[in-house]
């Protein structure tokens, strides 16, 4: 027997001999396997629900290649169709509607449009509220849509009305607290023009004259105290077929005393006169005097004192 055979024979005899060999299984078994399957199933259900919700949201919101819902992204900008609601500030360069529909901005409280400069400072503001419409800017203008003519403009210095006709339809008319400068004032056809100052004086002045013309009606000037017609360099010219001065005092002529006595009508003793003279006193007052022999306005100084 060789040396190698002897060593091999002795090693086989020294190894323990077992009747039933042991096997060790490889893998996950028992409750670990059940938990793993449960988590895999739960993950699968969650993925299916998420996919279904994503498809439902895409369908409801109407997502397309061009945009979402009523929002369309075009080459010219963003287009909104229907009613849109913005919860946060909107910054845009231009807003316009379609050619066949108006643009409506609606809010539960008010609508405010702000304009700012490059530094973020507020330069203009337009607020449309339930009680009033307010505009804060350096100059406010209203222009015609066709010609671009300025119809109304207002700033800190003046207010300009550029319309051809200013029409006031209120029952109380127009009230001016200070002076008014205008070349022409007229009423509507078949309507009366009335210039009135209830508690103060009414003054009309012009460097080259004031012309008051009533083409188809009467001209009335009424005051409580005194009416002054004054011409500094020229004359006051009354040109009419008939000039009537009512409620003037009338004097009576007596042949016995050759003097005048003031009365509202000629006395019964004096002869009735059909022709009267219009006399003026040095203080400017006028009165009527019956014409007679030697009856002149210069000799009736007592009538001037009475009147």
């Amino acid at each position: 027997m060789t040396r190698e055979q002897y060593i091999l024979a002795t090693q086989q005899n020294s190894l323990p001999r077992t009747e039933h060999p042991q096997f060790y299984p490889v893998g996950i078994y028992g409750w670990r396997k059940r938990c793993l399957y449960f988590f895999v199933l739960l993950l699968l259900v969650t993925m299916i629900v998420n996919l279904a919700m994503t498809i439902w949201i895409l369908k409801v919101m109407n997502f397309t290649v061009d945009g979402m819902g009523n929002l369309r992204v075009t080459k010219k900008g963003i287009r909104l169709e229907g009613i849109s609601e913005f919860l946060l500030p909107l910054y845009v360069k231009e807003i316009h509607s379609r050619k066949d529909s108006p643009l409506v901005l609606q809010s539960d409280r008010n609508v405010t449009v702000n304009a700012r400069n490059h530094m973020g400072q507020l330069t203009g503001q337009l607020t449309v509220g339930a009680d009033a419409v307010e505009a804060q800017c350096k100059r406010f203008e209203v222009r015609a849509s066709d010609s671009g003519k300025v119809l109304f403009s207002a700033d800190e210095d003046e207010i300009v009305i550029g319309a051809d006709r200013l029409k006031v339809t209120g029952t109380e008319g127009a009230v001016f607290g200070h002076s008014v400068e205008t070349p022409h004032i007229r009423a509507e056809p078949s309507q009366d023009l009335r210039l009135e100052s209830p508690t103060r004086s009414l003054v009309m002045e012009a460097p080259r004259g004031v012309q008051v013309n009533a083409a188809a009606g009467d001209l009335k000037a009424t005051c409580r105290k005194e009416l002054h017609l004054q011409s500094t360099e020229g004359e006051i010219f009354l040109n009419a077929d008939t000039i009537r001065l009512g409620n003037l005092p009338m004097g009576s002529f007596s042949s016995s005393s050759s003097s005048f006595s003031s009365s509202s009508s000629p006395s019964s003793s004096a002869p009735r006169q059909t022709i009267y003279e219009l006399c003026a006193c040095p203080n400017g007052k006028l009165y009527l005097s019956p014409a007679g022999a030697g009856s002149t306005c210069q000799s009736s100084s007592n009538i001037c004192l009475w009147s």
Side-chain angles (χ1 to χ4, degrees), residues 195 200-204 212 219-231 236 238 244-245 283-286:
L195 302 178
R200 294 295 185 269
S201 301
L202 179 62
V203 180
M204 293 186 294
V212 182
L219 176 62
K220 296 181 180 180
T222 306
C223 64
R224 183 177 180 85
K225 292 183 178 180
E226 296 180 356
L227 175 64
H228 295 275
L229 299 177
Q230 182 179 0
S231 177
I236 298 176
L238 301 178
R244 296 182 180 180
L245 301 176
N283 58 2
K285 294 183 178 181
L286 301 178

Side-chain angles (χ1 to χ4, degrees), residues 258-262 287 298-307:
S258 299
S259 62
F260 294 94
S261 63
S262 61
Y287 68 94
Q298 288 79 5
S299 62
S300 57
S301 59
N302 57 344
I303 298 297
C304 291
L305 296 176
W306 171 83
S307 58

Side-chain angles (χ1 to χ4, degrees), residues 236-304:
I236 298 176
F237 181 69
L238 301 178
N239 184 9
D241 295 338
T242 303
I243 298 176
R244 296 182 180 180
L245 301 176
N247 299 327
L248 291 178
M250 187 178 299
S252 60
F253 174 75
S254 177
S255 59
S256 60
S257 61
S258 299
S259 62
F260 294 94
S261 63
S262 61
S263 62
S264 61
S265 63
S267 62
S268 60
S269 61
R272 290 184 175 272
Q273 303 292 334
T274 57
I275 299 176
Y276 297 91
E277 294 178 345
L278 178 62
C279 301
C281 296
N283 58 2
K285 294 183 178 181
L286 301 178
Y287 68 94
L288 294 177
S289 177
S295 61
T296 60
C297 293
Q298 288 79 5
S299 62
S300 57
S301 59
N302 57 344
I303 298 297
C304 291

Side-chain angles (χ1 to χ4, degrees), residues 196-200:
E196 181 180 0
S197 179
T199 59
R200 294 295 185 269

